[in-house]
Amino acid sequence: MERRAFLKATLKASGLTTLAAAGCSDEAAPRPGRRATSSRSASARPTGPADWNALERGLEGRLVRPGDADYDRARRLYIPRYDSVRPAGIAYCATPEDVAECVAFAALRKLPVAVRSGGHGYAGWSTGTGLVVDVSPMDEVRIGGGRAVVGAGTRLIDLYAEAAERGAGVPGGTCPTVSVAGLTLGGGLGVLSRAYGLTCDVLESVRVVTADGRVRECDARRDPDLFWACRGGGGGNFGVAVAFTYRTHDVEDVTTFSVGWPWPRAADVIRGWQRWAPSAPGEVWTSLQINTAPSAGAPTVEVSGAALADPAPHIDRLVAAVGRDPSSQASRRRPYLEAMKALGGCSGQSVGACHARGDLPGQRPEGRFPRADYSGKSHVALRPLPDDAVGGLVARFSRGNGRSGRSVLMDAMGGAIGRIRPGDTAFPHRGGLFVLQYLADGDDLAWLRGTHRIMDAHLRGAAYVNYIDPDLADWRRAYYGANLDRLTKVKAAYDPGRLFRFPQAV
């Protein structure tokens, strides 16, 4: 069946509307360099080989199925514990029209759809037993005129590298291997956020393939409700985002710094930092980090950060707020890209080396970041932690000396983040003081859940959707607050058949 006829039949059978003309092509034969036949085993074909072969012929990118030589690599996520999941197919989509092909195919065949960009989600919901729509091939970055047009598969380190060449920056996270898509759609906390806002706050438009197969250009005028939902409403809820246009800001040098205290002063550090950090100037971003490692002999507490100007007077105010002299202190002025590398754990390395290792899909062969088996939870602190909460958190680490892989990161909010009203974007936590992210090795769930439970008694009611938590009971209100009702209406309008669904889909 030719591609146009296949799509028309698919949409008619699914009760969906007509695809945009840009999503159709008359080409049916395999393209140069593509396989004309497949060596896949018959047992791996849940809907029949002819169906999958028709899908494959309709893609500019490539389709990987069980039995293909690179199937085991293609199905991996960043977190190894999801390696047991075996998708029926992984489609590496090279164009928005490829995504439309996949949406039509999955709708007709009633296959579960998982959308994957970076594959870092804690819950593993960017894979599944149906069709994985992988947007990593769409990773082009174009910067100019105060704008950055960025493909959904772009890794943060690549965006930062392209932006830095032009003296520009986009607010974003510190992990270099994460893709822009999930970060942006859930809000996007990061180093420049207190100065310029969340990643979603500098988003001017987004291209989305919706459940009806349309490729939509969404902004404040075109599909404004969908655009609003894509600014903090969470990835994978309303369609497949394929490209973003951001405003950029002039950024040249950045000063990175760290201040450490001995572990017995941990409670003082937490109390002092939370008094100082949310009201610090927007040019200063900080993260309080508690970590354990066998070589340390005891947990460590440190405040690291970045400043667009001289941070020395601000560090002095932090130390005064803590009321205890630090045991270590360092700062260094660096070019923007080198600062982001340092904060991301690949200081002094090439951009390619800041990718995950090449045994993961969508990464560079020279990448050095290993896969990591971890779990996470979160809270958004809307008020300072009381003393008993601080004491409870410190006790969770003090009782576990020598156990590696336990961390709590507290990232400061405030500044430009709080200057936007909670309903202006789908990200609701504009009054937050800081975000707490709890992390633990994959086999240490009891500690992670216990720590979250103890803190939840003091921090009820708010969590960050980008640190998605499969255990969270009232996740709808925790992630979205008062914005939930509007998000539910957007979901009903753009995905009435719930093609895009996972355990915590809106």
Side-chain angles (χ1 to χ4, degrees):
M1 182 184 294
E2 68 171 25
R3 183 180 180 190
R4 184 185 299 274
F6 171 73
L7 286 170
K8 287 182 177 178
T10 298
L11 293 170
K12 182 177 180 181
S14 304
L16 300 175
T17 58
T18 305
L19 274 173
C24 299
S25 167
D26 290 325
E27 182 174 298
R31 295 173 176 80
R34 300 284 304 281
R35 294 173 302 174
T37 59
S38 172
S39 61
R40 307 177 185 108
S41 64
S43 62
R45 298 165 178 160
T47 63
D51 299 330
W52 288 101
N53 290 341
L55 174 63
E56 183 176 27
R57 288 194 300 269
L59 298 178
E60 293 283 349
R62 65 192 182 97
L63 180 68
V64 179
R65 297 283 322 285
D68 285 350
D70 55 348
Y71 174 75
D72 284 339
R73 177 177 181 270
R75 65 190 177 87
R76 290 174 180 165
L77 302 183
Y78 195 81
I79 301 176
R81 71 173 172 276
Y82 302 117
D83 283 356
S84 60
V85 180
R86 299 184 64 83
I90 302 106
Y92 287 96
C93 296
T95 66
E97 291 71 36
D98 277 2
V99 175
E101 291 274 347
C102 291
V103 167
F105 178 80
L108 177 63
R109 297 300 164 190
K110 295 181 171 53
L111 282 173
V113 177
V115 183
R116 185 174 77 184
S117 50
H120 287 69
Y122 295 154
W125 292 333
S126 54
T127 190
T129 57
L131 178 62
V132 174
V133 178
D134 187 299
V135 300
S136 62
M138 291 184 279
D139 60 357
E140 183 181 6
V141 178
R142 302 193 309 274
I143 297 178
R147 304 289 183 274
V149 181
V150 184
T154 304
R155 298 310 197 263
L156 285 183
I157 190 61
D158 297 321
L159 172 58
Y160 296 153
E162 292 288 340
E165 286 187 4
R166 295 158 181 82
V170 175
T174 55
C175 181
T177 62
V178 165
S179 84
V180 300
L183 176 82
T184 305
L185 296 170
L189 292 162
V191 174
L192 300 180
S193 291
R194 302 191 74 254
Y196 302 125
L198 304 175
T199 313
C200 73
D201 295 340
V202 298
L203 184 67
E204 292 197 334
S205 66
V206 56
R207 180 177 290 184
V208 183
V209 180
T210 45
D212 58 5
R214 291 180 58 186
V215 182
R216 300 175 185 261
E217 298 284 352
C218 307
D219 57 24
R221 295 180 297 104
R222 300 169 293 181
D223 292 298
D225 285 340
L226 181 57
F227 178 61
W228 174 87
C230 289
R231 300 173 71 194
N237 273 312
F238 310 102
V240 184
V242 295
F244 304 87
T245 299
Y246 306 105
R247 292 189 305 278
T248 61
H249 292 270
D250 294 338
V251 181
E252 294 183 357
D253 291 347
V254 175
T255 300
T256 58
F257 60 89
S258 63
V259 189
W261 284 264
W263 178 247
R265 304 302 185 194
D268 295 323
V269 176
I270 296 170
R271 285 191 289 263
W273 176 83
Q274 72 173 354
R275 286 194 299 268
W276 167 82
S279 59
E283 67 193 34
V284 180
W285 169 84
T286 55
S287 175
L288 189 155
Q289 302 176 4
I290 303 173
N291 293 293
T292 58
S295 60
T300 61
V301 59
E302 177 182 83
V303 174
S304 61
L308 299 178
D310 180 12
H314 309 304
I315 294 174
D316 289 343
R317 294 187 186 99
L318 167 62
V319 172
V322 171
R324 305 287 183 176
D325 289 336
S327 55
S328 64
Q329 185 172 332
S331 65
R332 181 178 172 184
R333 193 76 174 163
R334 313 169 191 253
Y336 168 62
L337 177 58
E338 295 308 312
M340 297 310 297
K341 288 180 182 178
L343 293 166
C346 57
S347 180
Q349 299 183 35
S350 68
V351 170
C354 293
H355 279 248
R357 288 180 180 168
D359 57 352
L360 278 174
Q363 301 290 343
R364 295 192 187 181
E366 66 268 35
R368 296 183 181 178
F369 269 69
R371 301 171 76 199
D373 202 350
Y374 57 92
S375 298
K377 295 178 177 293
S378 74
H379 280 116
V380 179
L382 303 176
R383 59 190 61 85
L385 297 176
D387 285 347
D388 51 349
V390 172
L393 181 60
V394 170
R396 293 296 292 174
F397 284 89
S398 298
R399 294 170 187 156
N401 288 357
R403 177 63 190 255
S404 64
R406 295 173 175 175
S407 301
V408 172
L409 314 180
M410 304 183 193
D411 291 343
M413 297 178 70
I417 300 170
R419 291 197 284 271
I420 294 177
R421 292 177 300 182
D424 286 351
T425 70
F427 181 86
H429 307 304
R430 297 294 176 171
L433 302 179
F434 50 91
V435 172
L436 296 95
Q437 182 180 189
Y438 313 91
L439 296 169
D441 285 345
D443 63 348
D444 202 11
L445 280 174
W447 180 88
L448 182 67
R449 289 168 175 160
T451 303
H452 183 268
R453 183 174 59 253
I454 288 171
M455 298 302 290
D456 195 56
H458 310 281
L459 293 167
R460 296 187 185 96
Y464 183 29
V465 67
N466 276 355
Y467 303 150
I468 203 156
D469 181 355
D471 293 338
L472 203 56
D474 190 13
W475 56 268
R476 293 175 178 84
R477 293 293 174 186
Y479 296 149
Y480 305 120
N483 290 336
L484 175 63
D485 290 345
R486 185 176 175 187
L487 286 168
T488 301
K489 292 175 182 177
V490 175
K491 178 71 171 179
Y494 287 93
D495 185 16
R498 299 190 66 79
L499 177 67
F500 303 108
R501 61 184 182 272
F502 50 92
Q504 290 182 357
V506 171

